[in-house]
Amino acid sequence: MKQWINKLRQERTLRQEEFRQLLTGCDAETLRYINEQAREVSLLHFGNRIYIRGLIEISNYCRNNCLYCGIRKGNPHIERYRLTEENILECCKQGYERGFRTFVLQGGEDPALTDDRIEKTVAAIRQSYPDCAITLSLGEKPREAYERFFQAGANRYLLRHETRNELHYKQLHPAEMSSKQRLQCLRDLKDIGYQTGTGIMVGSPGQTVEHIIEDIRFIEQLRPEMIGLGPFLPHHDTPFAGYPGGTVEQTLLLLSIFRLMHPSALIPATTALATLAPDGRERGILAGANVVMPNLSPREERKKYELYNDKASLGAESAEGLALLQKQLKAIGYEISTERGDFKCNAPRNKNKEQI
Ligand code: SAH
């Protein structure tokens, strides 16, 4: 197995059969080895500094009915909320004071958050914080809307493709949603000039090794600037309530595979991973992640943005908990970077002239 890992680091890709073997035959020793290799690559590119992004969950209203998601339209049991522009600017202010230089506005596809309203909010943040990056994660929109948000000052967009396989996509989403549409959105975002993020849930219901290989190939072709991977975790009020969640090990394996294939990509240790295991965030970083996204939403609303059971939003997952996060990172030899942390394709090479 180690020869495939060395080859992956060297050549940044593998043959189909080699990926299959790595994904099906990865034991504890192999996982340790690939995590170590990915960590080295991450250290060569980013040093021991972890970028932080302030996550503001702006609305849990959603017109969609994704089968896995706790804020789906069909869940009558959650209390819905929507932040005003004033609320959002207040979150940014608090975040800025704490050292955040990236704000991520995430939410359901809320029909009341019209393109005009989003454009206006982005412009207001851009005006108050000219030195910060603005990331949006607001789902599928027409190309014109993405263009307007970009003109207003947004720099990055997160839109996980969730799965590249069309049949699997249909298992995870209602009939009115389509994989084609989502992929078109990703192409539009890249074309407009956003630093674009995509990714998958690891261990989602129906996911097979073949699907994961399709996801790896898709991301290899798209070359996104950001790659988001977290374990699927069930939510009690969704059709997938009774399904098992993804595992820490499978998530860490994929994280490392993506780091070896995409050395300069921005890859977060996700909240879902930190929710699944108490040391998930640290293990994510030690497997090649270089970003964390603490929660900057108003405290009263955080519990309501429950995408899956017991979603973490306190302690080191929160903006108030930066000191704790700093301490946890220090314990594994890392520290917080308060730089904006844009994607850079020309990351420094190491002294041995290794191809990184
Ligand atoms: N509406 C936006 C934001 C969605 S929430 C959009 O469509 O992009 C952000 C991500 O959370 C989703 O892309 C999905 O991958 C993840 N997510 C949703 N439900 C989840 C669950 N039950 N377990 C793990 N991750 C989940």
Side-chain angles (χ1 to χ4, degrees):
M1 211 65 87
K2 282 190 182 166
Q3 81 267 25
W4 302 145
I5 297 170
N6 296 338
K7 179 176 171 194
L8 186 59
R9 179 167 177 180
Q10 220 42 152
E11 299 181 14
R12 299 186 190 172
T13 191
L14 290 178
R15 290 170 193 278
Q16 212 73 350
E17 184 48 36
E18 296 161 350
F19 272 130
R20 199 170 288 125
Q21 284 183 28
L22 191 54
L23 289 166
T24 51
C26 182
D27 58 11
E29 173 56 25
T30 311
L31 184 62
R32 211 170 9 252
Y33 186 72
I34 192 168
N35 290 166
E36 208 176 274
Q37 293 300 310
R39 173 158 81 245
E40 261 181 49
V41 169
S42 195
L43 281 167
L44 287 169
H45 274 266
F46 302 101
N48 67 339
R49 293 163 69 80
I50 302 297
Y51 295 129
I52 51 169
R53 321 298 196 194
L55 179 63
I56 308 171
E57 294 154 340
I58 65 173
S59 168
N60 70 353
Y61 284 89
C62 193
R63 67 189 174 105
N64 290 330
N65 235 341
C66 308
L67 277 76
Y68 45 83
C69 184
I71 67 168
R72 64 203 301 268
K73 178 175 68 184
N75 180 3
H77 301 298
I78 56 165
E79 196 185 327
R80 304 279 171 174
Y81 75 91
R82 172 182 306 119
L83 302 186
T84 62
E85 180 175 316
E86 204 183 0
N87 296 150
I88 297 171
L89 286 167
E90 179 56 34
C91 295
C92 295
K93 180 164 176 279
Q94 292 184 11
Y96 193 88
E97 285 163 6
R98 295 196 156 98
F100 288 92
R101 293 296 178 268
T102 293
F103 304 118
V104 182
L105 274 50
Q106 188 180 85
E109 292 189 19
D110 178 353
L113 287 180
T114 57
D115 298 345
D116 279 348
R117 195 163 154 179
I118 295 169
E119 183 183 25
K120 203 168 144 281
T121 301
V122 170
I125 301 175
R126 174 51 61 235
Q127 183 167 24
S128 302
Y129 303 99
D131 55 333
C132 292
I134 303 173
T135 305
L136 301 178
S137 178
L138 300 170
E140 298 172 22
K141 309 273 174 196
R143 182 179 172 121
E144 304 77 66
Y146 289 148
E147 278 169 352
R148 284 170 61 187
F149 306 158
F150 191 77
Q151 288 303 323
N155 315 94
R156 310 184 190 141
Y157 206 103
L158 304 175
L159 187 79
R160 291 189 182 169
H161 68 288
E162 315 294 0
T163 175
R164 179 62 189 82
N165 182 277
E166 292 193 14
L167 284 176
H168 186 220
Y169 191 91
K170 289 209 174 305
Q171 286 176 262
L172 301 180
H173 299 93
E176 61 275 15
M177 292 181 75
S178 84
S179 168
K180 271 205 183 68
Q181 182 56 40
R182 205 151 177 99
L183 301 186
Q184 184 56 48
C185 287
L186 282 167
R187 279 190 290 271
D188 289 342
L189 289 164
K190 273 224 127 188
D191 196 45
I192 293 167
Y194 282 96
Q195 292 172 49
T196 304
T198 198
I200 61 167
M201 288 176 290
V202 179
S204 59
Q207 185 181 60
T208 65
V209 166
E210 298 308 312
H211 295 154
I212 295 177
I213 298 175
E214 288 180 56
D215 293 320
I216 291 174
R217 293 290 182 220
F218 168 67
I219 290 179
E220 189 172 29
Q221 283 162 12
L222 184 73
R223 304 173 60 79
E225 286 77 15
M226 300 169 283
I227 304 172
L229 301 170
F232 159 73
L233 297 172
H235 181 286
H236 56 278
D237 279 324
T238 62
F240 290 159
Y243 282 78
T247 65
V248 175
E249 288 73 20
Q250 189 77 347
T251 307
L252 295 177
L253 170 61
L254 280 169
L255 243 165
S256 294
I257 290 177
F258 282 113
R259 170 57 70 213
L260 294 176
M261 295 180 73
H262 305 268
S264 44
L266 299 157
I267 305 183
T270 53
T271 304
L273 185 58
T275 300
L276 182 58
D279 57 351
R281 189 179 318 98
E282 291 93 323
R283 289 170 74 186
I285 289 165
L286 295 173
N290 73 315
V291 173
V292 292
M293 299 169 69
N295 199 310
L296 254 185
S297 309
R299 289 187 76 116
E300 347 37 291
E301 319 293 6
R302 274 184 214 167
K303 277 265 156 273
K304 301 180 198 159
Y305 198 83
E306 197 185 34
L307 302 174
Y308 41 81
N309 295 339
D310 306 317
K311 178 169 156 276
S313 61
L314 300 174
E317 270 309 311
S318 70
E320 319 80 84
L322 272 195
L324 177 61
L325 176 65
Q326 180 80 280
K327 197 167 145 225
Q328 292 178 350
L329 294 181
K330 194 162 174 235
I332 55 167
Y334 287 77
E335 58 184 72
I336 289 172
S337 161
T338 50
E339 279 169 42
R340 235 176 89 132
D342 286 290
F343 176 82
K344 293 189 202 78
C345 56
N346 296 321
R349 284 163 189 278
N350 81 345
K351 327 192 244 322
N352 306 328
K353 302 252 181 320
E354 183 198 19
Q355 261 254 298
I356 57 173

